């Protein structure tokens, strides 16, 4: 058996690790685990920082199918933060019995889908519903989504960060003007605009700087506010009310900005996103003993949660999966009592878990990889990475990134403020999602993959810690052109 | 060989396959040998030749797939230029290079490339070379008093090579000078150097000027107005420009100035994978015909197809040829 401690919280690790080893040996001695299984068993000890997440305290991840000549992978994931005191032995016993048969520990679940890649899971339908029906969620929970963020407010609005962003942009314009290359219209794009606060503050600051330096760039600015929700765009107008003549409000999909803005190809001088990538559809890959596996998931509710929620909302256990499908399709109106529909939504979201399985990557079509990445260039990227690794593919972020770069003017740059993993080794020292943030999903973004893909597109990526707020875990990605 | 009206050709490079990019990078990581890479280059060059023929082009190149990029292929061959071979991580990266003494005259090896090309095709063969101005903008000068002098010396060495190419049977030579667009202030001496480069070269010479195609995106933006009137002093036969991506606005310059050259008109946008229809191509050609008579017009993509996936590159070239056929019919030829 190998025990991996994937976090650096000393006390939590020490207590749980000791208990795990002695409990597993005891269960082995009692015949709950075959010696051969024990020999191949891998236990990952995590500390999941997101209070709301998709995991049971003890979770079994097995390989789907068997590759001839290769022992199948079996893993246990234990969340040392969640595991209730005194429950480890029973949880492990249950997990071991699941290794051999589908017994009642597994069957006491209501499955909401078949196994599929995380990106295709209904978990993302919940995420989509949250952003489209944000007002309903906020009214029911009594707080805005920004108040639900770590720290209680968005880091996008930090005045110091905005001042630096404005100064950088002004410097670019100055350089272009000196070289007689300043375009007549100065396009800026912000994708994922929230309440428009950052855009408003940015324009205020830019106008002030421009006036102070007498450069008269401000009237030439064309500020594009892009979001996939018209309701969000409408809510952002007041924040930029003083600059409306410079602003355009554009419905666009963050995964494919060039589709909407193709008329601005190679024209935009600055593109900014805050906390968008961490909320784009994602997938995880696992490398074990030199082989790559895709992680597939299956959403479920525990039978107990399903019974409780069903009773609370007046939905029978048998009807629950169908009612959830309707919820994701039409929203809280799936129940005659809309308020009860919101309750159903919030309770299901809180209770939904993801069962996992590993699928050998060689058995899947090459089209499983996002555009810009394939098995062979992934292999070369992983050449110097730890041999055993579970990491995010950040396929949504990669897609967005790829479909944003063509908008950049030859001298333009992209800035993304988000939570990034900048070294693959970090995946073995902390949990990086998925977690639940209010009604949405949060995943750290694989900055290493982004950096590799960016190089192929002619950009170097740099990650700078977001130093404007002490203790922030965010970084700022910015691009520079490769020569 | 007689060419039809509106001859079709490429700017130079053909699609670089992803697997070849990885192989080239493996070579720089010393995981495959030069011999193996040369064999691979021969094979892909033959394929590029056949694809251009199948697309129906009138004048073809070798696809330039032996070249890592437009600079290093020449930097490696220019005698007297020193290279830091450890400076490449990815094959497409530029070498760090510098010149520390006067360039001696020597072969650049382009004649071998031409012979290879001609041995696999009956079509007209074109050779494209990176011009001295673009080269001096990438090679650190530690010897010459200024860039103009350095470029002039490169022109001296390359001129000999161009004459050898003519002897070996090419009738079409293209000089690539995209860096003009990034350094318009160099144009005065750039044109002088260009004229020295082509002096006595008994072939149809073209100069290709675009806005860069590094990683499939432009390196600069602006207008071709900066070229005029200085470029009119260039002693070349043809000016080949990028029009498809940028729209035809700059075509008006050819009304404004009495241009002594043929025009190579870019009708395929190589910076997008969206494939043009023949109708779109035909329309672009018709626009060019408003400022230039058919007998002085050549039809090309905006720049090399290097960054396009092979099926896309091929489809674009097919569309270019079909669109050209449409216009030829309209012209009655």
């Amino acid at each position: 058996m190998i025990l991996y401690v994937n976090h650096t919280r000393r006390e939590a690790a020490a207590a749980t690790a000791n208990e795990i080893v002695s409990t597993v040996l005891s269960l082995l001695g009692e015949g709950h685990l075959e010696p051969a299984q024990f020999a191949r068993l891998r236990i990952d000890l995590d500390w999941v920082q997101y209070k709301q997440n998709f995991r049971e305290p003890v979770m079994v991840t097995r390989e789907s199918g068997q590759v001839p000549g290769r022992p199948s992978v079996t893993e246990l994931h234990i969340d040392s933060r969640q595991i209730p005191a005194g429950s480890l032995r029973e949880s492990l016993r249950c997990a071991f019995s699941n290794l051999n048969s589908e017994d009642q520990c597994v069957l006491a679940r209501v499955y909401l889908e078949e196994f599929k890649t995380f990106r295709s899971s209904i978990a993302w339908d919940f995420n989509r519903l949250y952003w489209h029906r944000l007002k309903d969620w906020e009214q029911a929970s009594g707080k805005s989504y920004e108040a639900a963020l770590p720290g209680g407010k968005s880091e996008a609005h930090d005045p110091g960060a905005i001042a630096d962003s404005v100064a950088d942009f002004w410097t670019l314009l100055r350089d272009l003007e000196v070289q007689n290359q300043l375009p007549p219209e100065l396009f800026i794009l912000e994708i994922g605009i929230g309440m428009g606060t950052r855009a408003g503050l940015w324009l205020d600051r830019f106008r002030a700087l421009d006036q102070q330096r007498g450069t008269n760039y401000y009237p030439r600015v064309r500020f594009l506010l892009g979001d996939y929700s018209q309701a969000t765009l409408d809510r952002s107008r007041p924040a930029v009310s003083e600059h409306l003549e410079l602003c355009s409000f554009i419905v666009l999909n963050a995964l494919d900005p060039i589709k909407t803005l193709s008329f601005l190809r190679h024209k935009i001088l600055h593109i900014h996103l805050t906390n968008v990538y961490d909320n784009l559809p994602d997938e995880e890959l696992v490398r074990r003993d030199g082989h790559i596996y895709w992680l597939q998931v299956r959403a479920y509710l525990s039978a107990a949660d399903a019974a409780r929620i069903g009773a609370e909302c007046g939905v029978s256990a048998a009807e629950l999966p169908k009612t959830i499908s309707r919820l994701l399709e039409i929203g809280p109106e799936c129940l005659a009592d809309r308020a009860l529909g919101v309750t159903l939504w919030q309770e299901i979201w809180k209770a939904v878990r993801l069962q996992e399985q590993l699928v050998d990557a060689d058995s899947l079509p090459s089209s499983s990889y996002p555009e810009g990445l394939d098995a062979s260039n992934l292999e070369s990227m992983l050449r110097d990475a730890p041999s055993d690794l579970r990491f995010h593919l950040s396929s949504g972020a990669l897609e967005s990134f790829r479909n944003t770069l063509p908008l950049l003017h030859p001298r333009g740059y992209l800035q993304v403020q988000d939570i990034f993993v900048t070294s693959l080794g970090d995946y073995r020292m902390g949990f990086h999602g998925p977690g639940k943030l209010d009604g949405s999903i949060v995943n750290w973004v694989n900055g290493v993959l982004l950096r590799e893909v960016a190089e192929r597109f002619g950009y170097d990526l740099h990650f700078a810690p977001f130093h404007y707020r002490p203790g922030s875990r965010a970084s700022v990605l910015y691009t520079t052109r490769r020569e | 060989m007689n060419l039809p009206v509106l001859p079709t050709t490429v700017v130079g490079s053909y699609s670089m396959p992803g697997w070849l990019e990885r192989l080239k990078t493996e070579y720089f990581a010393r995981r495959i040998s030069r011999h193996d890479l040369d064999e691979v280059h021969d094979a892909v060059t033959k394929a590029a030749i056949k694809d251009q023929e199948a697309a129906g082009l009138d004048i073809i190149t070798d696809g330039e797939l032996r070249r890592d990029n437009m600079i290093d292929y020449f930097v490696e061959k220019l005698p007297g230029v020193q290279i830091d071979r450890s400076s490449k991580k990815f094959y497409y990266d530029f070498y760090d290079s510098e010149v520390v003494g006067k360039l001696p005259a020597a072969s650049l090896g382009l004649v071998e490339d031409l012979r290879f090309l001609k041995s696999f095709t009956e079509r007209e063969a074109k050779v494209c070379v990176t011009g001295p101005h673009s080269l001096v903008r990438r090679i650190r000068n530690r010897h010459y008093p200024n860039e103009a002098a350095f470029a002039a010396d490169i022109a001296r060495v390359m001129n000999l090579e161009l004459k050898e190419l003519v002897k070996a049977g090419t009738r079409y030579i293209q000089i690539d000078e995209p860096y003009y667009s990034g350094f318009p202030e160099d144009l005065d001496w750039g044109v002088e150097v260009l004229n020295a480069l082509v002096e006595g070269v008994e072939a149809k010479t073209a100069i290709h000027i675009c806005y860069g195609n590094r990683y499939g995106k432009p390196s600069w933006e602006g207008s071709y107005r900066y070229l005029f009137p200085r470029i009119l002093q260039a002693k070349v036969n043809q000016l080949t420009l990028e029009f498809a991506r940028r729209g035809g606005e700059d075509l008006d310059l050819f009304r404004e100035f009495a241009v002594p050259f043929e025009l190579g008109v870019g009708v395929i946008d190589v910076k997008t994978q969206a494939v043009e229809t023949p109708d779109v191509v035909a329309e672009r050609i018709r626009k060019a015909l408003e400022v230039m008579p058919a007998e002085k017009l050549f039809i090309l993509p905006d720049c090399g197809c290097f960054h396009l996936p092979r099926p896309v590159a091929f489809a674009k070239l097919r569309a270019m040829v079909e669109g050209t056929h449409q216009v030829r019919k309209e012209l009655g030829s």
Side-chain angles (χ1 to χ4, degrees):
Chain A
M1 181 187 86
I2 298 175
L3 174 66
Y4 283 87
V5 180
N6 296 325
H7 65 87
T8 55
R9 292 175 181 265
R10 185 166 54 89
E11 286 173 14
T16 323
N18 287 340
E19 196 184 349
I20 287 168
V21 172
S22 64
T23 307
V24 170
L25 289 173
S26 151
L27 290 168
L28 176 69
E30 291 165 21
H32 293 287
L33 184 66
E34 297 295 325
Q37 289 175 319
F38 174 79
R40 291 203 309 270
L41 185 64
R42 171 193 171 109
I43 299 182
D44 279 76
L45 185 52
D46 295 312
W47 200 92
V48 179
Q49 71 269 31
Y50 298 102
K51 280 183 190 159
Q52 298 291 328
N53 60 67
F54 296 96
R55 287 192 172 190
E56 302 280 4
V58 174
M59 179 177 71
V60 180
T61 303
R62 283 189 290 184
E63 184 176 349
S64 165
Q66 169 95 48
V67 177
R70 194 199 299 171
S72 71
V73 178
T74 303
E75 304 178 350
L76 287 188
H77 293 270
I78 299 175
D79 178 3
S80 52
R81 188 186 190 193
Q82 269 199 81
I83 189 95
S87 70
L88 182 67
R89 183 183 166 80
E90 181 51 22
S91 297
L92 285 174
R93 191 203 62 74
C94 184
F96 292 151
S97 70
N98 288 346
L99 295 181
N100 303 314
S101 64
E102 294 264 309
D103 77 350
Q104 58 180 7
C105 301
V106 168
L107 297 177
R109 292 174 174 178
V110 176
Y111 289 106
L112 304 179
E113 62 186 347
E114 295 302 312
F115 274 113
K116 51 186 63 173
T117 65
F118 180 41
R119 183 177 183 150
S120 314
S121 166
I122 65 162
W124 291 101
D125 295 332
F126 279 98
N127 185 71
R128 196 173 305 118
L129 180 65
Y130 175 75
W131 291 114
H132 281 295
R133 303 299 293 269
L134 183 59
K135 213 170 169 185
D136 292 324
W137 183 285
E138 287 177 336
Q139 275 174 356
S141 61
K143 60 178 180 182
S144 71
Y145 82 91
E146 284 199 10
L149 293 170
K153 59 178 182 177
S154 171
E155 291 177 336
H157 312 158
D158 187 277
I162 288 173
D164 283 350
S165 169
V166 164
D168 288 347
F169 186 67
W170 185 91
T171 303
L172 169 67
L173 300 186
R174 193 62 170 171
D175 285 351
L176 286 168
E177 188 174 34
V178 166
Q179 292 159 22
N180 203 23
Q181 292 180 359
L182 191 66
E185 293 181 298
L186 311 173
F187 287 101
I188 305 169
L189 168 65
E190 183 173 341
I191 300 174
I193 54 162
M195 298 290 289
T197 313
R198 183 186 180 279
L201 294 171
W202 196 98
L203 282 162
D204 290 345
R205 176 77 189 182
F206 184 79
R207 180 176 57 189
L209 185 71
D210 186 45
Q211 282 172 354
Q212 181 194 329
R213 296 182 177 173
T215 38
N216 208 29
Y217 298 143
Y218 173 78
R220 294 163 72 173
V221 164
R222 302 289 174 263
F223 200 108
L224 313 173
L225 293 91
D227 202 281
Y228 80 154
S229 158
Q230 181 64 56
T232 303
L233 290 168
D234 292 341
R235 291 207 312 183
S236 72
R237 279 180 175 268
V240 291
S241 59
E242 287 187 33
H243 313 281
L244 278 177
E245 70 280 10
L246 306 184
C247 293
S248 301
F249 302 83
I250 298 172
V251 176
L252 59 77
N253 180 357
L255 292 172
D256 198 3
I258 185 72
K259 185 175 180 187
T260 306
L261 299 174
S262 58
F263 62 101
L264 291 176
R265 190 166 60 117
H266 304 144
K267 295 271 189 291
I268 302 183
L269 288 163
H270 174 39
I271 302 175
H272 179 91
L273 301 93
T274 298
N275 293 342
V276 173
Y277 282 8
D278 64 5
N279 187 237
L280 292 177
D282 195 4
E283 287 160 298
E284 286 183 86
L285 294 183
V286 174
R287 183 161 74 168
R288 299 283 182 252
D289 297 327
H291 302 286
I292 299 282
Y293 299 88
W294 284 83
L295 194 76
Q296 291 191 337
V297 301
R298 174 162 65 158
Y300 69 92
L301 301 172
S302 72
D305 279 334
R308 176 181 57 76
I309 296 167
E312 192 180 341
C313 299
V315 181
S316 71
E319 285 295 305
L320 199 55
K322 205 185 291 177
T323 308
I324 293 171
S325 294
R326 258 179 80 70
L327 166 71
L328 295 174
E329 202 177 311
I330 64 169
E333 292 78 12
C334 64
L335 295 185
D337 179 346
R338 201 164 158 278
L340 202 56
V342 176
T343 303
L344 175 79
W345 173 16
Q346 295 191 325
E347 288 300 314
I348 296 287
W349 178 243
K350 207 184 295 176
V352 72
R353 299 280 179 269
L354 296 174
Q355 187 184 353
E356 297 181 350
Q357 71 173 13
L358 300 176
V359 180
D360 184 19
D362 292 342
S363 69
L364 294 173
S366 56
S367 57
S368 307
Y369 290 96
E371 220 178 317
L373 195 66
D374 60 29
S376 54
N377 55 31
L378 181 68
E379 197 179 310
S380 74
M381 287 176 202
L382 292 174
R383 191 170 273 145
D384 301 322
S387 57
D388 273 355
L389 194 68
R390 174 172 168 155
F391 59 98
H392 289 277
L393 191 55
S394 297
S395 53
L398 278 174
E399 193 176 327
S400 174
F401 184 68
R402 242 184 87 99
N403 291 327
T404 301
L405 292 177
L407 291 168
L408 285 176
H409 182 278
R411 294 286 305 278
Y413 60 99
L414 170 71
Q415 271 188 344
V416 183
Q417 192 173 312
D418 222 313
I419 41 177
F420 291 102
V421 174
T422 54
S423 162
L424 290 176
D426 289 349
Y427 278 112
R428 303 218 301 193
M429 293 199 296
F431 182 80
H432 295 92
K436 297 176 187 171
L437 202 59
D438 221 12
S440 68
I441 298 174
V442 60
N443 275 303
W444 288 60
V445 182
N446 189 335
V448 181
L449 278 184
L450 277 183
R451 187 159 46 208
E452 290 285 337
V453 169
E455 285 183 5
R456 301 297 185 268
F457 282 88
Y459 291 96
D460 284 319
L461 291 198
H462 312 272
F463 296 92
F466 186 77
H467 59 82
Y468 304 95
R469 187 186 290 181
S472 170
R473 292 185 300 181
S475 309
V476 181
L477 168 163
Y478 60 98
T479 57
T480 52
R481 203 167 53 143
R482 281 173 78 81
E483 289 302 326
Chain B
M1 190 181 299
N2 288 329
L3 290 174
V5 68
L6 305 176
T8 54
T9 183
V10 286
V11 167
S13 64
Y14 193 55
S15 165
M16 174 66 74
W19 55 264
L20 181 54
E21 293 193 309
R22 285 192 287 279
L23 274 178
K24 283 172 177 274
T25 303
E26 292 283 287
Y27 166 72
F28 285 104
R30 301 180 182 198
R31 284 190 277 264
I32 68 166
S33 69
R34 181 78 237 179
H35 175 264
D36 286 352
L37 185 61
D38 286 343
E39 285 198 341
V40 171
H41 280 158
D42 286 352
V44 294
T45 299
K46 286 179 206 171
I49 291 167
K50 291 303 157 192
D51 261 17
Q52 292 174 77
E53 287 183 348
L57 298 179
D58 301 306
I59 305 169
I60 66 173
T61 68
D62 71 351
E64 299 180 3
L65 298 177
R66 300 175 196 278
R67 306 181 185 186
D68 296 338
N69 54 57
M70 66 173 296
I71 301 293
D72 288 354
Y73 195 64
F74 297 90
V75 161
E76 279 187 317
K77 291 164 185 287
L78 274 173
V81 175
Q82 296 185 351
I83 296 169
D84 175 3
R85 291 192 181 269
S86 66
S87 54
K88 261 190 205 273
K89 175 188 166 203
F90 181 49
Y91 85 98
Y92 191 57
D93 293 340
F94 289 128
Y95 283 127
D96 283 340
S97 57
E98 60 183 19
V99 61
V100 294
K102 184 170 171 59
L103 298 176
S107 164
L108 303 183
L110 300 176
V111 172
E112 286 73 36
D113 292 350
L114 173 64
R115 288 195 179 119
F116 188 90
L117 166 60
K118 286 179 71 69
S119 66
F120 289 99
T121 187
E122 297 295 320
R123 306 271 167 109
E124 286 286 357
K126 176 165 85 169
V127 178
C128 305
V129 300
T130 301
H133 175 261
S134 295
L135 290 172
V136 301
R137 282 294 166 195
R138 289 298 324 172
I139 305 169
R140 207 175 301 115
N141 172 22
R142 295 206 186 281
H143 172 72
Y144 295 92
N146 51 46
E147 271 65 34
F150 180 21
D153 218 26
I154 292 178
R156 175 184 58 82
V157 174
M158 288 184 98
N159 173 266
L160 301 174
E161 186 80 3
L162 300 192
K163 287 173 178 165
E164 290 302 311
L165 284 167
V166 175
K167 278 187 207 162
T170 187
R171 299 200 297 159
Y172 297 90
I173 292 176
Q174 177 184 298
I175 320 295
D176 297 331
E177 286 288 23
Y179 280 64
Y180 280 0
S181 296
F183 302 88
E185 65 276 15
D186 295 349
L187 196 60
D188 273 349
W189 61 259
V191 170
E192 274 177 36
V193 167
L194 175 67
N195 289 342
L197 175 66
V198 298
E199 190 176 347
V201 176
E202 301 289 328
K204 179 165 286 199
T205 53
I207 179 162
H208 168 67
I209 305 165
C210 63
Y211 281 84
N213 191 23
R214 188 89 177 131
Y215 292 98
K217 57 193 176 63
S219 300
W220 306 282
E221 277 297 352
S223 154
Y224 280 127
R225 180 163 288 280
Y226 81 88
L227 288 173
F228 293 87
R230 183 67 176 109
I231 198 69
L232 302 176
Q233 308 303 314
K235 293 173 181 164
V236 292
N237 305 102
Q238 190 180 110
L239 192 54
T240 295
L241 302 177
E242 171 181 5
F243 289 112
R245 178 183 70 89
R246 297 162 38 76
E249 276 178 31
D250 284 345
L251 281 170
D252 287 341
L253 292 163
F254 291 80
R255 290 186 224 274
E256 195 176 329
F257 294 93
V259 178
F261 317 113
E262 295 170 343
L263 175 62
V265 60
V267 296
I268 294 292
D269 181 352
V270 295
K271 296 185 178 78
T272 173
Q273 294 190 21
V275 178
E276 289 85 350
T277 62
D279 288 346
V280 166
V281 170
E283 191 51 37
R284 288 173 178 163
I285 297 171
R286 289 186 203 107
K287 264 192 165 178
L289 283 168
E290 290 172 13
V291 299
M292 189 66 72
E295 60 274 15
K296 291 183 77 175
L297 211 55
F298 278 60
I299 309 301
L300 307 91
D302 274 351
C303 193
C305 297
F306 191 90
H307 297 287
L308 294 170
R310 186 240 155 227
V312 174
F314 185 77
K316 279 177 174 269
L317 293 181
R318 280 293 309 158
M320 185 176 86
V321 169
E322 286 173 23
T324 305
H325 284 164
Q326 279 186 26
V327 181
R328 281 179 190 156
K329 267 189 198 163
E330 291 163 15
L331 296 172
S333 46

